Amino acid sequence: MLLNGRTIAERLEAKLGTEFKDRLIITPILDRARQINPDAASIDVRLGQKFVIPKRTKVSHLDHLADGHDRQIELYKDESFVPIGDHFILHPRQFVLGETLEWIHLPLDLSAYVVGRSSWGRDGLIIATATGAHPGYSGIITLEISNVGEIPIYLYPGLSIAQLFIQEVDRKSVV
């Protein structure tokens, strides 16, 4: 069952036991009213400050089956940190890795997936992720961000960029 905003808010406030593993945690939530709509089926997540930018000129190709793929992939990346209040310019047909500002922890009875916000999608911004966050996951979520439009897009850390959909998991299937 997909949780609505009201249930997400209740789970965030609930102390489902004293153990960390039993709690839903999403932090920081600076404006609860803007991020959690009680009648929606998600919580908004914001763009973090770190971007990983591919450098086309460093590698001729990527081959996941080749020896040394991990070393090769490191040559392919450059990192950029963007302070709050500043912006990152995503050019047309550019791809970067971003991250959520929020850190999440899912208890063993919940899983989640991330979907880009339609308001950004209408501008040509596509948010794709390895969408599933499994029960017990803790960390920030990596966002695969592409500009499929024709105009550069300013990305501001701290702005709502995607939605986190949270659903219950059949506990019988969880080890």
Side-chain angles (χ1 to χ4, degrees):
M1 173 179 74
L2 196 59
L3 303 186
N4 66 20
R6 186 172 288 103
T7 304
I8 292 169
E10 289 169 2
R11 291 289 303 259
L12 288 170
E13 293 169 6
K15 306 287 189 252
L16 297 177
T18 56
E19 294 192 46
F20 169 79
K21 66 180 180 64
D22 296 329
R23 295 192 54 214
L24 171 63
I25 301 169
I26 302 173
T27 189
I29 297 177
L30 301 178
D31 189 344
R32 186 179 285 280
R34 290 189 77 182
Q35 284 185 260
I36 306 173
N37 176 343
D39 299 319
S42 65
I43 178 173
D44 286 353
V45 290
R46 295 163 296 151
L47 184 62
Q49 297 176 273
K50 180 180 161 190
F51 296 88
V52 177
I53 305 125
K55 297 190 294 186
R56 295 180 209 195
T57 58
K58 290 286 187 177
V59 208
S60 63
H61 65 281
L62 295 176
D63 182 351
H64 282 264
L65 298 179
D67 289 336
H69 172 71
D70 292 338
R71 286 189 312 276
Q72 184 184 31
I73 203 85
E74 287 307 313
L75 294 173
Y76 174 68
K77 299 182 209 175
D78 192 18
E79 290 189 6
S80 178
F81 178 84
V82 179
I84 297 288
D86 203 350
H87 63 274
F88 179 89
I89 300 173
L90 187 66
H91 293 279
R93 291 165 296 288
Q94 186 178 16
F95 167 82
V96 298
L97 295 178
E99 61 187 24
T100 59
L101 184 64
E102 290 79 13
W103 181 91
I104 71 166
H105 169 75
L106 297 172
L108 294 178
D109 66 331
L110 297 178
S111 67
Y113 59 95
V114 177
V115 174
R117 292 177 50 93
S118 60
S119 56
W120 286 99
R122 288 188 290 273
D123 291 338
L125 188 74
I126 303 298
I127 306 289
T129 65
T131 60
H134 295 279
Y137 173 79
S138 292
I140 57 168
I141 296 175
T142 299
L143 305 171
E144 299 156 356
I145 305 170
S146 297
N147 180 354
V148 298
E150 299 299 320
I151 301 168
I153 299 172
Y154 280 25
L155 300 177
Y156 294 90
L159 286 183
S160 291
I161 197 160
Q163 304 167 78
L164 184 67
F165 289 86
I166 303 171
Q167 58 195 7
E168 290 182 341
V169 174
D170 181 0
R171 294 280 308 215
K172 293 179 279 196
S173 66
V174 178
V175 177

